[in-house]
Amino acid sequence: MHELPDIQRALESYVHGGPRPDPDGPRRLTGAQLLQSGEHAVARTLLLAALCARLDGGTSDAAGLVAVARSYEEGSFLYTGRIIPRFTEMIALLDRAVDERCPRTLVELADHLSQGWPAYPSSVFPAALARLAAELGFTDGAEPFATTSFTRWRRGLETAADGRADLAAPLFDDSLARYRAYLYHADAAWLFTDLVIVHLMQGQEGDAAGVFQEQGRYVEEVLADYPVTGDGPPVFQLGDVQSGDYSTFVESVTLQPTALTEADRAILRRYARVSELLLSAARYRSQRDFEAALDLFSFGWTSFPDSPYPHIFQHLADRLAGAPGRWGAQLTGYARWHRMLRSGRVRPTSPTLIDTAVDLHDRLARAGLTKQADIVLLDAAIIHAELHGTTATVEWISRYTRELRPEIPELLRTAVTYLQLNGETPDTSSEGAQRLLAHYAGLRELHTVPALVAERAVRRRENAVQVEVALYGRLLSIEGITVYEQTPEPLVDILQVLGEEFAGSVAEGREVPLLSAAELSSRTGRTTAALAQSVRRFRGAAQERFGAATEFTLDPDTVIQGRPGYRINPVSVESFHRFPADR
C-alpha cells in the first residue's frame, strides 16, 4: 500500500485511535503516482507522516520524508516551489516542538499549516496536533490548533461581506496579531488594510486613520529590520496560487525571512498606499480615490471576483457614495482591461477603442500602476492598427510615445516594429507579424497583465464570434461592450436564471435547456408578457449599442434565444459571468 490516498487514510486512522501505519510507507512514495499528485496533497501527507512518527513517543522520520519531498521537487511537473519548501520547514519545526517539549511551538506550526487552506479546521490536523500536545502535557484540546490567523481572517472576511463590520473588526485584530507574531509580514500589511476598510464601513474615520498610521510604522519597521537583496526569488509572492484546495493571493514562501527584495518591499508599501487612498476617498467622498484603491488592491488577482472582497468594497462604496450602487466595486481596472481586449474581436470604432484605452490608462496611473497603464496603450494601438490602419493609429499613440519610451522601451520597440511591418494595414497572419506578436506577448507577460485574447480582431468580413456576457453588479457587458450601465431589474432576473442553467449545463457537458415562458415566469416572478417585453427591449438596446460603438452586426438571438423557449444561446455565447455572485 504505497498510494498517496491510502497512506493518508492510514495516517488519519492512526490519529483517531487506529493501528500504527507502516512506518516505511510514506518513504516508499516514488514514481508516477507521487509525481502526478498535487503539491499541497503531497506536502500535507508528508507532514502528517512526520507528526504521526512522533506520536506515542516515536522518533523523527524527517530525513526520509524530506528525501521524498526532494524527489517530488526534482521530478514533478506540478511542483511550484511555493508549498513543499514551507512544509519541509514545518517538519523541522515539528521536531523542535517535540524535542523541546514546547506545545506553544505546535500552536505556531498549526498557524503555518493553515495558511491558504480553507478546509484546514475540518481536517485531521487539529486533532493530531492536540493529541501530540497532550503527550507533551498540554491539555487544552484541539481549539488552540483549530483557531489560527488564517481561520480568523476568513471569518472576518465573511462577516464583513455580510455587512457586519463591527463583528469583523475584532476578528481582524486577532488575526493581525498572530500574523505579526509569526512573521507573515505581507499578510500583516494586508490585514491593516482590512481593518481600515471595516472602520470606514462603520463611519469611524478617526479609527481608520489610526490604523493607517500604525500600518505605516509597521511597514517601515519591517523594511528597516531586513537587508535588501538583489539575488534570489522574492520572499512574498503576489498572485493567484492554487494547489488542490489550497488557494491564496499573497504568500510568504519561507517561515523565517532573512532578507527582502525590492519586489517584497513594494508589496508591503502597496497595502499602505491602498489604505491611504481609501482614507482620501472617505475624507473627500472621492470616487477616483476609491477606484484607485480598489484597483491597487485587486490588480492581478484573477479570482478576486469570487472572493468576499467585492461585497466588502461595495458595502464601503455605498457608505462613501451615500447611496447604494452609485459607485461600483465589481468592474475593476483589471476587468476593464480584459473587456478592452475582448472588444477587439467585435471591431470597436476608433473613438470607442481610443477613449476606452485612454480612460483606463488614466485610471491605472492614478492607482500607481504606471507600467500597466502604459501597456494598455500599446495593446490598444495594436488592436487599433489591425482594425483602422497604421496611419490613424500613429496619429493618436504618438502623443504618448515620450512617456512610454523610458518605462517600457523594449515593448514599445516591438510594437512599433509590428506597426511598421506591413504598411497601412498589418497582416496578422503573416509569419513576421505572428513572430513579433508572440515576442510582444512574451514581454508583456513579465508584468502583471490580463492575457491577450486569441484572435483579437475578427476578420473584417466575418460576423461569427462567440461572445462573453458578464454582469458587473448592474452593468451589462457583451464582449467588452457596455449595453447597460444600470441593467433593468427584470432583465437581471432573467439573466440570472438563464445564466445558471447555461453555466451548469456547460460544466456538466450537456445541452443547454430551453425554458418555457411559464417556467421562466415562475422562476423570476415576472409575467410572461413582462419577460417578452424585457427580452425585446434588451435586444434592441444591444443592437443599438453595438451599432454605435462597433462595426459588428449583433444578431438578435446572439445572447438570448426566445423560441421555442428561453435560454442563453450556446452557439454564440462562450461564457456567462455574474460579478459578484449572490451571497
Side-chain angles (χ1 to χ4, degrees):
M1 181 185 65
H2 305 303
E3 298 293 314
L4 193 70
D6 293 333
I7 290 172
Q8 185 168 347
R9 281 192 291 270
L11 294 169
E12 291 178 356
S13 173
Y14 177 50
V15 168
H16 295 303
R20 179 180 283 276
D22 177 5
D24 294 329
R27 285 186 276 120
R28 291 175 183 158
L29 278 170
T30 57
Q33 196 279 331
L34 172 68
L35 301 183
Q36 293 171 7
S37 299
E39 185 174 358
H40 194 230
V42 171
R44 68 188 183 211
T45 299
L46 294 179
L47 181 61
L48 184 58
L51 194 157
C52 288
R54 302 309 304 261
L55 290 175
D56 298 324
T59 58
S60 172
D61 194 21
L65 296 172
V66 169
V68 176
R70 296 287 178 263
S71 175
Y72 182 84
E73 290 177 9
E74 294 167 2
S76 178
F77 176 77
L78 300 176
Y79 173 69
T80 67
R82 298 166 74 164
I83 299 170
I84 288 284
R86 285 169 43 81
F87 271 74
T88 55
E89 290 184 64
M90 289 182 214
I91 290 175
L93 188 66
L94 168 71
D95 281 343
R96 178 159 64 83
V98 177
D99 293 341
E100 297 176 0
R101 303 191 65 79
C102 183
R104 184 177 300 175
T105 304
L106 289 182
V107 172
E108 178 183 349
L109 173 63
D111 209 274
H112 294 309
L113 173 59
S114 70
Q115 299 304 319
W117 187 13
Y120 166 78
S122 59
S123 75
V124 70
F125 280 99
L129 289 165
R131 177 177 166 184
L132 182 57
E135 294 179 7
L136 302 180
F138 186 71
T139 59
D140 285 357
E143 179 58 27
F145 305 104
T147 302
T148 72
S149 57
F150 183 74
T151 64
R152 298 289 278 179
W153 173 66
R154 293 277 299 187
R155 283 183 57 194
L157 289 182
E158 294 299 326
T159 304
D162 288 335
R164 299 303 308 272
D166 56 329
L167 299 181
L171 293 168
F172 286 153
D173 270 322
D174 185 22
S175 177
L176 174 58
R178 294 168 190 252
Y179 274 128
R180 295 179 69 168
Y182 298 134
L183 306 184
Y184 282 83
H185 300 308
D187 298 84
W190 179 319
L191 257 293
F192 276 113
T193 300
D194 285 338
L195 276 169
V196 167
I197 291 172
V198 293
H199 282 307
L200 291 178
M201 285 173 63
Q202 299 174 82
Q204 300 167 347
E205 293 185 27
D207 291 337
V211 172
F212 169 60
Q213 291 173 358
E214 185 181 355
Q215 182 182 31
R217 287 192 296 269
Y218 174 76
V219 168
E220 292 307 316
E221 287 172 4
V222 171
L223 297 180
D225 286 345
Y226 293 93
V228 181
T229 176
D231 301 324
V235 174
F236 310 133
Q237 299 286 350
L238 197 63
D240 291 293
V241 185
Q242 297 285 337
S243 179
D245 51 2
Y246 175 96
S247 175
T248 188
F249 180 62
V250 62
E251 180 180 54
S252 299
V253 298
T254 178
L255 306 186
Q256 297 290 330
T258 57
L260 301 179
T261 67
E262 287 298 339
D264 295 322
R265 296 166 71 87
I267 287 172
L268 295 177
R269 290 190 172 114
R270 172 175 178 161
Y271 290 103
R273 176 59 177 159
V274 172
S275 297
E276 183 179 22
L277 287 165
L278 288 173
L279 285 167
S280 180
R283 186 175 298 117
Y284 304 110
R285 295 302 186 260
S286 168
Q287 184 175 358
R288 289 184 68 237
D289 285 339
F290 173 79
E291 290 174 344
L294 174 66
D295 290 344
L296 188 57
F297 185 91
S298 64
F299 199 85
W301 185 7
T302 57
S303 58
F304 172 82
D306 300 318
S307 76
Y309 279 106
H311 297 278
I312 295 172
F313 273 95
Q314 192 61 59
H315 286 306
L316 178 58
D318 291 345
R319 182 176 188 92
L320 298 185
R326 182 175 294 173
W327 298 355
Q330 294 79 32
L331 193 52
T332 64
Y334 194 84
R336 288 178 182 271
W337 193 347
H338 167 77
R339 291 175 72 232
M340 186 191 80
L341 296 173
R342 293 286 310 199
S343 74
R345 290 159 38 98
V346 290
R347 304 193 295 276
T349 64
S350 177
T352 297
L353 182 55
I354 293 172
D355 288 350
T356 299
V358 172
D359 287 348
L360 181 54
H361 169 271
D362 294 347
R363 174 166 170 161
L364 295 183
R366 173 66 179 164
L369 299 162
T370 55
K371 281 189 170 60
Q372 285 84 357
D374 291 342
I375 296 171
V376 163
L377 296 178
L378 291 187
D379 284 354
I382 287 176
I383 297 171
H384 191 276
E386 294 175 3
L387 298 174
H388 305 293
T390 301
T391 300
T393 301
V394 171
E395 184 178 336
W396 71 267
I397 194 64
S398 293
R399 74 190 72 165
Y400 299 99
T401 302
R402 180 174 297 178
E403 67 182 66
L404 296 177
R405 187 170 287 121
E407 289 292 320
I408 47 174
E410 192 171 359
L411 263 171
L412 178 61
R413 282 195 298 271
T414 304
V416 168
T417 304
Y418 170 77
L419 293 179
Q420 294 174 336
L421 180 65
N422 295 304
E424 174 59 18
T425 305
D427 179 6
T428 59
S429 63
S430 71
E431 182 178 346
Q434 289 292 318
R435 184 170 61 252
L436 281 169
L437 282 176
H439 182 51
Y440 176 81
L443 289 173
R444 71 192 292 283
E445 285 179 3
L446 298 176
H447 307 274
T448 302
V449 294
L452 286 172
V453 179
E455 300 178 6
R456 290 182 312 280
V458 176
R459 301 295 175 241
R460 289 163 177 74
R461 291 178 298 277
E462 294 179 358
N463 258 325
V465 61
Q466 280 198 308
V467 300
E468 175 187 84
V469 182
L471 270 169
Y472 296 93
R474 293 293 296 275
L475 185 145
L476 177 58
S477 169
I478 300 176
E479 199 62 6
I481 303 299
T482 299
V483 177
Y484 290 111
E485 292 279 356
Q486 292 290 326
T487 306
E489 197 63 41
L491 182 58
V492 172
D493 294 340
I494 292 169
L495 289 173
Q496 176 69 19
V497 171
L498 299 184
E500 289 175 355
E501 290 289 345
F502 177 85
S505 300
V506 170
E508 296 171 9
R510 55 183 173 83
E511 184 178 358
V512 181
L514 286 158
L515 301 186
S516 68
E519 182 175 0
L520 186 58
S521 173
S522 173
R523 292 176 61 175
T524 60
R526 308 284 177 177
T527 67
T528 57
L531 294 176
Q533 184 181 59
S534 295
V535 171
R536 184 169 60 253
R537 288 178 174 174
F538 159 63
R539 288 172 170 172
Q543 288 183 301
E544 180 180 353
R545 181 61 187 140
F546 267 71
T550 77
E551 298 171 0
F552 184 86
T553 301
L554 191 72
D555 188 86
D557 285 340
T558 295
V559 177
I560 298 179
Q561 287 182 294
R563 293 185 183 88
Y566 293 99
R567 69 176 177 180
I568 300 291
N569 192 336
V571 174
S572 51
V573 174
E574 180 182 315
S575 60
F576 174 86
H577 305 283
R578 185 172 185 185
F579 306 115
D582 289 334
R583 293 186 62 78

